[in-house]
Structures are given as structure tokens and as C-alpha cells.
Amino acid sequence: SQQGEEDPQALSIQEGENATMNCSYKTSINNLQWYRQNSGRGLVHLILIRSNEREKHSGRLRVTLDTSKKSSSLLITASRAADTASYFCATEETSGSRLTFGEGTQLTVNP
Amino acid sequence: GAVVSQHPSRVICKSGTSVKIECRSLDFQATTMFWYRQFPKKSLMLMATSNEGSKATYEQGVEKDKFLINHASLTLSTLTVTSAHPEDSSFYICSARGLELTQYFGPGTRLLVL
């Protein structure tokens, strides 16, 4: 079963606004990763945050990780219509290298 | 980032036939490759993990005789859906991992079994 749960399932915002997506998990992890998927396409790796890191930035992306709460958030600042996609978190458990994906958040950025 | 390709990108086949999907890491050596299945508007479900030169490890509920995985080299893994049926229709995605932690995903293969 998927251990990652994402919130919200769907998010619709206007261009220029910030988008925040949350992910919760259940087990101990080595790292947590965020991916983006355009409809019917493969996944694009966005950012990886290790279990000993609390925050990471990459361009307009900001990821936080709270291992005590077993949760992570992805913030996309100054969103663009091209950011419209599904966003998935995935955790790599300490027991191995397999990734467990969350259910995803469908983000729609309206121009 | 690293590039992973899949072939074919789309395949339509008749029920009962077998379909082979290739996953290649183009610019790095992939010690481990993963195969996922994704239903429409759903998340990715890991099917199996394959390490070069050894047998694949299948997730619970995935039939190894139905989904044959071969990882014969550090740049190629294949998934063969044997005796495909309409319920096997899905989006199949592979990923490859080298010495880094990051998995690089292929563009996916859409399988439609008639």
C-alpha cells in the first residue's frame, strides 16, 4: 500500500500565486523526493531532501521536511500556467532503495 | 539530469499476445531499475525491482510469470507482459538508478490490450 498521502488532492490557483502541497508518510525514511508529471507523460524529478535536512530550495521550489511529524511540504512560488501538472512525493525507506509514492496533487494554474 | 528512454511509447495488442517494453539508461550505468504501473489519475505502483545480473524482486501481488523482467546489462532492462489481457492495459513506467540516490524515470509506455 502507498504510504505517502498528499494533501490536497487537487489545487486550483491563479498565475502568480503560491502553491503549497503537503505529504505525510508512516515509516522511517532515508530521503523524500518530489516529482512532477504532466498528463500521460513520465515523471520529472524536482528535488530530493534527505532525512537529516529540514529545508531545501531549488529555483521557485521550496521543500521542507519534518521527520518528527513525518511530513513534507512543497511550495511553488509565483506559479505559472506551465506549472500545471500532477505532483507526487515519494519516500525512500531506510529498509531499501525502493520508492513509495503518494497519491499525488493535481495542480492547475489558471492564466 | 540523466536520461532514461522507453520503447515503445505506445502499443496496442490483441488479447493473448506478449508485449516487450524496453527501458534504457542513456548516459549512465543503472545498477538498479524499477518498473511501475500507473492507472489513470492514480499514483505509481511499484511492480518490481531489478538489479543487473540477478533476478528481479517482485512486489506482493505481482505475478512474476506474468510480468517477466530481464536486466541483462547496466543500461537495459526489459518488461515482458505475457499473454496480455485487457486488464493489463495501463501506463508502465521504468526508472533507473546509478550510484546516486535519485531515480530517473522513463517517459512511460501506454499499453492497450484489445
Side-chain angles (χ1 to χ4, degrees):
Chain A
S1 63
Q2 298 291 326
Q3 78 156 340
E5 295 180 5
E6 292 181 63
D7 159 46
Q9 290 186 332
L11 180 62
S12 182
I13 59 174
Q14 294 300 123
E15 213 166 21
E17 294 180 340
N18 295 342
T20 299
M21 291 161 268
N22 302 297
C23 168
S24 62
Y25 57 93
K26 295 183 174 67
T27 65
S28 296
I29 62 172
N30 283 330
N31 61 73
L32 185 145
Q33 304 178 38
W34 285 91
Y35 289 85
R36 166 199 169 119
Q37 184 182 36
N38 286 72
S39 181
R41 306 293 291 273
L43 271 71
V44 175
H45 182 261
L46 295 177
I47 198 164
L48 179 153
I49 186 165
R50 298 171 195 258
S51 60
N52 62 352
E53 296 177 311
R54 292 296 166 257
E55 187 170 314
K56 206 162 183 180
H57 297 255
S58 177
R60 292 184 296 114
L61 306 180
R62 173 176 168 257
V63 168
T64 63
L65 178 64
D66 186 335
T67 52
S68 65
K69 294 182 180 177
K70 290 186 165 54
S71 68
S72 173
S73 68
L74 171 67
L75 168 68
I76 303 175
T77 59
S79 64
R80 305 166 182 168
D83 294 329
T84 295
S86 290
Y87 291 83
F88 294 92
C89 69
T91 53
E92 181 182 288
E93 299 173 23
T94 53
S95 57
S97 61
R98 60 197 291 273
L99 288 179
T100 302
F101 282 81
E103 294 301 317
T105 295
Q106 172 60 51
L107 173 66
T108 302
V109 181
N110 301 300
Chain B
V3 178
V4 175
S5 69
Q6 274 184 248
H7 177 78
S9 58
R10 185 183 299 263
V11 57
I12 301 173
C13 69
K14 292 182 179 180
S15 188
T17 60
S18 293
V19 175
K20 179 184 283 189
I21 303 169
E22 291 186 350
C23 177
R24 292 181 186 272
S25 57
L26 299 184
D27 51 1
F28 69 102
Q29 293 186 324
T31 51
T32 306
M33 286 185 168
F34 304 85
W35 286 95
Y36 297 84
R37 183 173 180 174
Q38 185 180 32
F39 291 104
K41 299 189 185 302
K42 295 293 184 182
S43 187
L44 279 72
M45 297 289 292
L46 180 65
M47 299 175 66
T49 302
S50 75
N51 293 298
E52 186 263 339
S54 61
K55 289 185 179 180
T57 302
Y58 289 81
E59 295 298 303
Q60 193 172 7
V62 179
E63 299 176 58
K64 62 180 180 180
D65 296 328
K66 172 80 173 171
F67 299 99
L68 300 178
I69 291 172
N70 184 283
H71 191 165
S73 77
L74 285 172
T75 58
L76 173 65
S77 176
T78 61
L79 167 68
T80 301
V81 183
T82 61
S83 187
H85 291 284
E87 58 265 29
D88 298 324
S89 298
S90 192
F91 193 52
Y92 292 89
I93 305 176
C94 73
S95 70
R97 172 179 164 156
L99 297 178
E100 304 174 17
L101 296 175
T102 305
Q103 286 187 29
Y104 295 96
F105 283 78
T109 296
R110 188 161 303 283
L111 170 64
L112 176 61
V113 185
L114 302 176

